[in-house]
Amino acid sequence: MTTAVDRFRTAVDTRDLAALEDLFTEDIRLYSPVKFTPFEGRPMVLGLFGVLLRTFEDFRYVGEFAGTARTSADGTEAPAAVLLFRATVNGKEIHGIDLAHLAEDGRIKEFTVMVRPQSAVHALGEAVLAGLVADGLVPAP
């Protein structure tokens, strides 16, 4: 059986932003390494993924683990998957993980991104902010 996480990986691998829309709950929350508060709601998270798909160079998933984990929003135990990735942003090599929590209907309800090293986090933050401002999703600082 193909899960939302499998379809998510395929959409990211093929850079298919439209395919992501049905995979997220309307009230999805995305926790980013470059912002203290989460991005909230499907329109904002889809906008963010549009920026990320343009920003990451040579993005590839290199592993996956499945199980359960407590969500940040309400602490409930939910099916979850950890996707390990590698990418480059502005010449900086990034190692990271995506943690996807699934809702009862199987769609992704919470998504957490963690990256290292710190210099890559900084490069990613600058690139993503520029993309969000260019797309009109956040005001210029």
Side-chain angles (χ1 to χ4, degrees), residues 15 53 55-62 85-89 93-94:
R15 302 262 200 262
L53 292 176
T55 301
F56 282 124
E57 306 156 30
D58 189 31
F59 185 94
R60 65 217 175 271
Y61 283 112
V62 297
F85 68 85
R86 301 288 185 265
T88 305
V89 173
E93 174 82 19
I94 292 177

Side-chain angles (χ1 to χ4, degrees), residues 82-101:
V82 176
L83 304 170
L84 290 79
F85 68 85
R86 301 288 185 265
T88 305
V89 173
N90 294 333
K92 300 282 186 187
E93 174 82 19
I94 292 177
H95 295 192
I97 62 169
D98 291 334
L99 171 58
H101 289 91

